[in-house]
Amino acid sequence: MDRTFFVMIEGNEPIIIIVKNDVNRPKLLDCHSVLEKWVTDKNDFKPYDYWEIDTCEKHNI
């Protein structure tokens, strides 16, 4: 199952990133590790924070 993250990188607009949960990924990296590597590689190690959307509390209003 793919995992969806809300990512805030310092100096950038927030983005949504979907990470494919791939058991055949080299070095058996989990989705959080893949996301962290992508964010740091693409954004010159700027400070960032992220939340997995599926784990956030949701309200219908």
Side-chain angles (χ1 to χ4, degrees):
M1 177 172 85
D2 295 346
R3 309 222 9 220
T4 305
F5 299 92
F6 178 83
V7 182
M8 294 182 62
I9 302 166
E10 185 176 284
N12 297 7
E13 293 293 320
I15 57 175
I16 302 291
I17 297 178
I18 299 169
V19 179
K20 181 177 178 68
N21 195 9
D22 185 357
V23 295
N24 296 316
R25 186 178 287 122
K27 298 183 184 179
L28 298 174
L29 293 175
D30 65 6
C31 289
H32 290 269
S33 297
V34 170
L35 173 67
E36 291 170 359
K37 181 174 177 7
W38 185 87
V39 169
T40 56
D41 287 352
K42 298 286 185 192
N43 294 284
D44 298 325
F45 298 93
K46 289 181 182 176
Y48 67 94
D49 205 355
Y50 67 90
W51 299 267
E52 186 170 354
I53 290 177
D54 293 336
T55 63
C56 295
E57 185 175 330
K58 297 171 184 73
H59 298 270
N60 291 324
I61 56 172

